[in-house]
Amino acid sequence: MPAPHLLSTDPPDLSALLGAAVDAVGGTERKGQVAMAEAVAHALATGEHVAAQAGTGTGKSLAYLVPALLHAITKNTTVVVSTATIALQRQLVDRDLPRLAEALRPHLAAEPKFAILKGRRNYLCLHRVQTGAPDEPEDAGLFDPQQLSGLGRQVARLNDWADETTTGDRDELVPGVSEQAWRQVAVSARECLGAARCPQGTECFAERARADAGEAHIVVTNHALLAIDALEEFQVLPEHDVVIVDEAHELVDRVTSVATGELSGPGVEAAAKRCGRLVEESVADRLREAGEALGALLDDASEGRMDVLPHPLATTLAVVRDTAHACRTAIGPESRDADPAAAGARKAARSALDDVHDTAGRLLEAFVPEFSARFDVVWLAKPFAPEGRPKRPPSLHVAPIGVGGLLRTTLFERRTAVLTSATLTLGGSFEPLARQWGLPPIGEAATRDARTAAEGLAATATEDGEPAKEVVWSALDVGSPFDHPKSGILYVARHLPQPGRDGLADAYLTEITELIEAAGGRTLGLFSSMRAARQAADELKDHLSHPLLCQGEDSTSLLVQRFAEEERTSLFGTLSLWQGVDVPGPSLQLVIMDRIPFPRPDDPVASARQRAVAAHGGNGFMAVAATHAALLLAQGAGRLLRSMDDRGVVAVLDPRLATARYGAFLKNSLPPFWATTDPQVVRGALRRLDATASA
């Protein structure tokens, strides 16, 4: 980092800095915000990790950004802030950090600098634009001519955009393009020639972003890139000693996704095609034939988790692995004398072959240990479009059963970590999520169900078999500025039958109708599946007095915008709405959840994790299924109160929340709303809220 431009020699005071920051954003300093800022500052000073739960309206972004900037400038180092969503990244980079830098500049010893950094595939590659992609997309055979024509138009638009953009950042291209089109103009880190060899190296968008990040005090990135930095042999993020993980409740799923490998017949054939003229035809043909054999076997195999590897598939995977290695060897070492276009083709071929070889090997190794000792789970996916035709070829997937060991060794044992979210306590305890992260127990007072939900996870978090280094952490719940018992009602429809597998029962549709009518619209319907959301929307649209929107009818962002602007409109949808909607005011006074959102019984990763926890003496259902449901319920309920003036009802139609033994654990994961199971009490409250909003 360049020598700082000194602005002040006085030692800065955290409380004064926080006060200046709050004034700059036009906010009000809150007790919870101060407590969190002090806890973060303590963690950065001592190296102890901290998990801080901070409810909506606390101002948690400033609570960690202010001490982070103070630490980075004082120590002349970099702090990485990782988020799960693009929306939060943009909030930090476009709104919070610019105002914060302006406000704190007079108080700090250097001018605050910040940058955003994403994975290389998120930036347009000028060399790829100039030379073209080395081959067609691996699934081009699934496109009809009209789709291929549309792909060509998107690529042409990207070529035009390359002459206009100053960042090359995919997220700044509006409207966006398909993944197939973007692959034609972007490269992975393994495919990149490197700035020194690439003819466009001095103008490379990804290299510019990395250079900016290398000079910044705060680097904003995402959980996926954080995981890639931990998993890959090459360094992705700039040197840093602190990681702040916002939206930390998403960390395990995002790291799992990055650590998941995929292999398909067409994917293997595409790797063989990339070898092209780089190897003898007979060598590439053997890999292509192995890909064809793999595709044929997967076409005939059953979808779902695989606990036993059939002998024909094992043999074919071994052939895929070995022929990929033979192709890689035949290509030979990288030549410094090759022209850039040829070097790019060789690098792309090596990258594809390495992916095929490594994934095939990992799939074979996954079945070697006994069930209780396995680190990975394997499954076959056969994605189909709603009309019944294949969306993509069948593919094998391999994912880690737990990522706690990875997080422990690559994050908690190397750097200071601050983990924060509005939802970190499940069943009233930090333990369930902390164990998934690989953190040791801290002896906090926890309910029996919360302890049960954490048991068995510690053993699955140490898959490398090495003794864990001591990791010290603390937990802090700074609360919420909302008065939940006075602002919201939790209604559980105890009188309804248990949800079934054949769609929403008539009693559920009647309940939804009566609740929405009482609320005068103003409803966000959160459903456990898209099928249920569509069924409810199709059957209720003609029977409600107010407009009803359903996810899938337009882009989700436009639907949410219309929902927010038209007060009496209702919006139905599924997973992305459980966590991604921020609509304060009278447009949202009722949140309906159709059922407890347990993972699907056939979910391969969740079911494998449940079995692993049970094998280590824990309660698999509580540690995995109930924890998953508790997290989503808390996130869904969090859509209701987004500002201090908001009032409303969270209605859970699943009676098991009131009757099942695990119901207490789930309810203890929700905000402390005033609770009732009386339908008439809730309908009366909704009518009064509607009358007040309409006055």
Side-chain angles (χ1 to χ4, degrees):
M1 191 176 295
H5 171 60
L6 295 181
L7 299 175
S8 172
T9 57
D10 297 328
D13 176 73
L14 178 63
S15 61
L17 290 179
L18 186 59
V22 171
D23 289 342
V25 301
T28 302
E29 192 172 88
R30 303 187 185 281
K31 182 179 178 181
Q33 184 184 56
V34 173
M36 179 173 169
E38 291 174 347
V40 173
H42 175 77
L44 303 191
T46 63
E48 296 181 3
H49 312 297
V50 63
Q53 177 167 277
T56 302
T58 303
K60 65 179 170 65
S61 296
L62 291 186
Y64 63 69
L65 287 175
V66 170
L69 266 176
L70 177 58
H71 171 81
I73 289 177
T74 302
K75 302 294 185 182
N76 196 30
T77 187
T78 297
V79 172
V80 168
V81 176
S82 179
T83 77
T85 61
I86 293 173
L88 181 54
Q89 285 183 36
R90 294 259 62 102
Q91 175 191 316
L92 293 174
V93 174
D94 295 341
R95 190 183 74 182
D96 293 348
L97 280 166
R99 290 192 286 183
L100 190 58
E102 181 71 24
L104 300 189
R105 185 180 290 115
H107 305 278
L108 296 172
E111 183 171 341
K113 296 181 180 180
F114 57 90
I116 186 169
L117 186 61
K118 304 175 183 179
R120 190 171 290 271
R121 275 197 181 276
N122 289 278
Y123 300 98
L124 181 141
C125 172
L126 293 171
H127 179 64
R128 176 63 66 87
V129 170
Q130 185 180 70
T131 61
D135 58 5
E136 291 296 318
E138 67 181 57
D139 47 359
L142 295 178
F143 294 137
D144 59 33
Q146 185 176 357
Q147 287 175 302
L148 288 172
S149 175
L151 178 66
R153 288 193 296 271
Q154 291 184 65
V155 173
R157 179 170 160 241
L158 285 167
N159 288 330
D160 293 338
W161 182 65
D163 295 328
E164 305 167 1
T165 179
T166 58
T167 66
D169 186 338
R170 181 179 182 178
D171 293 327
E172 295 183 7
L173 178 66
V174 179
V177 296
S178 68
E179 180 63 26
Q180 288 78 16
W182 185 256
R183 283 208 305 258
Q184 306 304 293
V185 298
V187 298
S188 68
R190 287 186 176 185
E191 295 171 310
C192 177
L193 286 175
R197 297 196 61 205
C198 180
Q200 282 76 36
T202 57
E203 301 177 1
C204 175
F205 295 122
E207 289 298 324
R208 285 186 195 173
R210 289 191 67 184
D212 290 344
E215 297 182 355
H217 299 106
I218 302 289
V219 173
V220 179
T221 188
N222 55 57
H223 295 351
L225 196 62
L226 189 69
I228 291 170
D229 189 62
L231 289 166
E232 296 289 354
E233 296 178 357
F234 50 85
Q235 184 176 338
V236 178
L237 296 170
E239 289 291 340
H240 58 285
D241 62 348
V242 173
V243 175
I244 297 175
V245 183
D246 203 340
E247 300 175 310
H249 62 278
E250 292 265 24
L251 183 60
V252 168
D253 284 346
R254 299 304 172 99
V255 173
T256 301
S257 179
V258 169
T260 298
E262 179 180 351
L263 192 68
S264 68
V268 175
E269 293 178 61
K273 182 178 179 182
R274 283 198 172 189
C275 294
R277 300 172 183 172
L278 301 176
V279 302
E280 292 183 9
E281 185 176 350
S282 60
V283 177
D285 280 347
R286 286 197 291 272
L287 180 59
R288 178 183 54 78
E289 291 166 0
E292 291 176 352
L294 176 64
L297 283 173
L298 298 186
D299 281 337
D300 294 336
S302 299
E303 187 176 25
R305 192 183 77 202
M306 299 178 68
D307 291 334
V308 177
L309 184 62
H311 180 71
L313 183 54
T315 301
T316 302
L317 285 173
V319 173
V320 168
R321 178 197 60 198
D322 296 343
T323 51
H325 178 72
C327 286
R328 181 69 168 80
T329 302
I331 289 177
E334 187 173 342
S335 172
R336 294 288 177 183
D337 300 327
D339 69 272
R346 294 170 75 88
K347 200 79 182 279
R350 286 193 193 92
S351 174
L353 291 169
D354 285 344
D355 284 343
V356 167
H357 173 272
D358 294 349
T359 304
R362 185 178 169 194
L363 285 162
L364 288 165
E365 292 167 4
F367 294 92
V368 174
E370 296 294 328
F371 284 138
S372 61
R374 288 183 181 176
F375 307 140
D376 283 334
V377 56
V378 175
W379 71 96
L380 175 62
K382 292 186 172 183
F384 285 87
E387 57 270 24
R389 63 180 178 82
K391 289 175 65 176
R392 296 186 63 200
S395 54
L396 286 171
H397 297 253
V398 54
I401 292 175
V403 296
L406 171 67
L407 289 172
R408 187 197 71 229
T409 56
T410 61
L411 177 59
F412 300 121
E413 292 182 2
R414 296 182 184 177
R415 297 179 175 90
T416 303
V418 175
L419 303 113
T420 185
S421 169
T423 310
L424 291 185
T425 60
L426 301 178
S429 169
F430 286 87
E431 288 285 333
L433 281 183
R435 296 294 185 90
Q436 291 186 22
W437 297 329
L439 290 173
I442 57 172
E444 63 165 334
T447 65
R448 176 181 173 184
D449 284 336
R451 289 195 302 273
T452 301
E455 289 171 358
L457 286 170
T460 64
T462 55
E463 58 260 28
D464 55 15
E466 296 293 328
K469 297 179 182 177
E470 183 180 14
V471 174
V472 180
W473 69 286
S474 60
L476 174 71
D477 183 355
V478 302
S480 167
F482 300 139
D483 188 345
H484 286 96
K486 292 184 178 179
S487 300
I489 296 173
L490 172 64
Y491 165 58
V492 182
R494 183 171 183 150
H495 62 284
L496 291 179
Q498 286 196 18
R501 298 182 178 180
D502 300 323
L504 295 169
D506 289 344
Y508 277 66
L509 296 171
T510 299
E511 186 78 20
I512 294 170
T513 301
E514 293 180 358
L515 288 170
I516 293 177
E517 291 293 351
R522 314 178 193 278
T523 300
L524 177 65
L526 302 177
F527 292 83
S528 54
S529 69
M530 202 63 237
R531 174 189 172 195
R534 290 196 184 102
Q535 179 196 353
D538 291 343
E539 298 200 27
L540 299 185
K541 267 188 177 179
D542 295 335
H543 301 286
L544 292 172
S545 306
H546 307 290
L548 173 59
L549 307 173
C550 187
Q551 195 174 8
E553 295 173 347
D554 204 335
S555 73
T556 300
S557 60
L558 290 177
L559 289 172
V560 173
Q561 179 181 344
R562 183 178 168 189
F563 172 59
E565 292 172 351
E566 301 175 13
E567 287 189 8
R568 290 195 173 277
T569 297
S570 296
L571 173 61
F572 288 1
T574 185
L575 190 59
S576 61
L577 298 187
W578 285 74
Q579 300 176 297
V581 174
D582 185 4
V583 178
S587 292
L588 175 48
Q589 295 188 332
L590 172 61
V591 175
I592 295 176
M593 292 182 260
D594 69 324
R595 66 191 298 161
I596 297 171
F598 292 119
R600 289 168 53 99
D602 59 355
D603 181 286
V605 177
S607 60
R609 285 177 174 165
Q610 284 192 218
R611 183 173 64 187
V613 170
H616 290 93
N619 184 318
F621 171 78
M622 290 298 295
V624 180
T627 296
H628 176 277
L631 190 56
L632 273 180
L633 281 173
Q635 287 287 305
R639 301 310 97 204
L640 182 66
L641 303 182
R642 308 304 295 178
S643 72
M644 296 301 293
D645 296 327
D646 286 349
R647 302 288 184 273
V649 171
V650 172
V652 181
L653 307 187
D654 191 333
R656 293 175 295 178
L657 188 61
T659 61
R661 190 197 63 77
Y662 52 77
F665 171 76
L666 299 178
K667 283 190 284 190
N668 284 335
S669 305
L670 297 173
F673 297 119
W674 185 81
T676 184
T677 59
D678 189 328
Q680 299 311 314
V681 167
V682 168
R683 286 155 176 70
L686 287 170
R687 293 188 189 99
R688 290 191 294 274
L689 286 171
D690 179 40
T692 301
S694 303

